[in-house]
Amino acid sequence: MTNSLVPPAGPQRVLALAQLTNAVGDGAYLVTSAFYFTHVVGLSPARVGLGLTAGWAVGSVAGVPLGRLADRRGARGTAVLLASAAGLAVASFLFVRGFLPFVAIACAYAASQSGLAAARQTLLAGLVPAGERTGALAYLQSAFNAGLAVGAGLGGLAIQAGTREAYLAVFAMDAVTFVACAGVLGRLASVAPVPVRKRHGLGVVRDRRYVAVTALNTVLLLRMPLLSLGLPLWISERTQAPTWLVSALFVLNTGAVMVFQVRMARGVTGSGRPRARCGGRGGSCSRRARCSRCRPVRRRGSPPGCWWPERSSRSSRRWDSRPAHGSCPSIWPRPTGWVSTRGSSERG
């Protein structure tokens, strides 16, 4: 990964530009929406919270089928369609005057946003090589937070003005940025539809570690409603602090993430563990070396195409890495590293 905060040219840069484009509008929307819905539309804070909760509940459910739609029909076209739908939903907020229309538009907006996020992931997987995806995700997240910071600054100007026209201008700008995002996404190469395999619906739920990480991430995601709804209303109604402080805190939060996101991801180069691979004369085999601190090295005298994991630290534990087929020898840990035991019955 490079030291630059600008992603490499190609799909990564186009995806980051699309992310940055609509994040500017989202940043302005997030810091002003609480004031717009309460002061301009005339909804109570409780109803605003209830409507947004219902919207994002629908969005969390709609993300899965919309992601499958992106797989089956093509990620680029689906992403362009959902970005346009999100822009239309935001524009509809300009004309909302009651609670029920507000809830309906909030549901449409959240569903479009969730589906757009899923389609972007599909585009990333289809256009970026596997070894570069972690870095690409870091760039996308940094672009997202940079856009939020810029948008929050613009939203702060609307908050300082405090007029109906200023809030309407923010929502109109957010709608335009979604349309612009759709145009940028349309510049990407198309990704071939992927046939969806039928799987058991509870397959993911059985993975306890995945469920635990998801639950912890859900708690962390509460930061956004706190920053965009709870904090603005608390500052404006319960403190004597100026309302522009809402924008300043949002810029501080997103700016810090933008600066450190790529740096923190530099040490992550992939999601897989090292493997012992053998493609020699006796056949081919592939089996995980069950140690997270192993690295593949070429052994002198080993069959062509055969790579062995090597430990840099001492260990007395024994791992059996016999292949399921082929003629790759067994591998056992020694105090000096991993060695082959081909032709020897000694194990340790």
Side-chain angles (χ1 to χ4, degrees):
M1 187 181 302
T2 63
N3 294 328
S4 175
L5 292 177
V6 179
Q12 293 189 43
R13 186 170 296 180
V14 176
L15 286 168
L17 179 60
Q19 190 90 307
L20 176 67
T21 301
N22 83 266
V24 172
D26 273 349
Y29 164 83
L30 289 171
V31 298
T32 59
S33 59
F35 299 120
Y36 173 75
F37 292 130
T38 54
H39 297 165
V40 177
V41 179
L43 300 175
S44 66
R47 285 199 162 191
V48 173
L50 179 61
L52 294 178
T53 300
W56 286 112
V58 172
S60 64
V61 175
V64 175
L66 289 175
R68 290 178 178 174
L69 178 65
D71 289 336
R72 293 178 179 177
R73 302 298 182 185
R76 185 184 65 177
T78 303
V80 170
L81 177 63
L82 290 172
S84 303
L88 179 61
V90 173
S92 300
F93 279 131
L94 297 172
F95 309 101
V96 68
R97 292 296 179 268
F99 177 66
L100 292 181
F102 163 69
V103 174
I105 297 172
C107 291
Y109 172 70
S112 301
Q113 280 273 53
S114 297
L116 177 59
R120 277 175 168 156
Q121 294 291 326
T122 305
L123 284 170
L124 179 70
L127 298 176
V128 179
E132 301 176 12
R133 288 173 192 164
T134 300
L137 284 171
Y139 281 122
L140 292 181
Q141 193 65 22
S142 291
F144 176 68
N145 283 281
L148 289 181
V150 173
L154 297 175
L157 298 177
I159 294 174
Q160 186 65 22
T163 63
R164 179 175 181 273
E165 289 73 19
Y167 291 128
L168 292 177
V170 166
F171 276 70
M173 180 186 70
D174 192 19
V176 171
T177 59
F178 271 108
V179 176
C181 172
V184 174
L185 290 173
R187 294 166 49 191
L188 289 167
S190 60
V191 176
V194 178
V196 180
R197 299 178 181 178
K198 293 183 179 180
R199 299 178 179 177
H200 297 290
L202 298 178
V204 174
V205 180
R206 296 191 183 99
D207 190 336
R208 296 180 181 179
R209 289 178 295 182
Y210 179 84
V211 172
V213 171
T214 302
L216 293 173
N217 188 57
T218 301
V219 176
L220 294 176
L221 289 176
L222 292 175
R223 76 191 188 285
M224 195 55 72
L226 286 175
L227 284 171
S228 63
L229 183 62
L231 195 62
L233 294 177
W234 179 73
I235 289 177
S236 63
E237 297 184 5
R238 301 298 179 89
T239 72
Q240 300 299 320
T243 53
W244 58 259
L245 185 61
V246 174
S247 174
L249 292 174
F250 204 95
V251 170
L252 176 64
N253 176 271
T254 54
V257 175
M258 175 193 68
V259 171
F260 294 109
Q261 182 78 42
V262 175
R263 294 182 181 180
M264 293 297 292
R266 283 177 187 156
V268 182
T269 57
S271 58
R273 296 181 179 177
R275 292 174 181 260
R277 294 187 178 90
C278 178
R281 303 168 187 169
S284 61
C285 62
S286 177
R287 184 178 180 89
R288 286 187 185 273
R290 289 166 282 183
C291 173
S292 60
R293 291 179 293 180
C294 297
R295 61 184 179 87
V297 297
R298 180 77 167 87
R299 290 286 187 178
R300 181 178 298 178
S302 58
C306 192
W307 295 80
W308 308 105
E310 180 180 61
R311 288 176 64 89
S312 58
S313 61
R314 295 177 180 269
S315 174
S316 60
R317 301 178 67 180
R318 299 177 179 178
W319 303 99
D320 186 359
S321 294
R322 290 189 184 91
H325 56 83
S327 62
C328 188
S330 301
I331 304 171
W332 300 93
R334 301 284 186 173
T336 58
W338 288 73
V339 297
S340 169
T341 61
R342 172 179 290 193
S344 172
S345 60
E346 181 186 3
R347 298 184 181 179

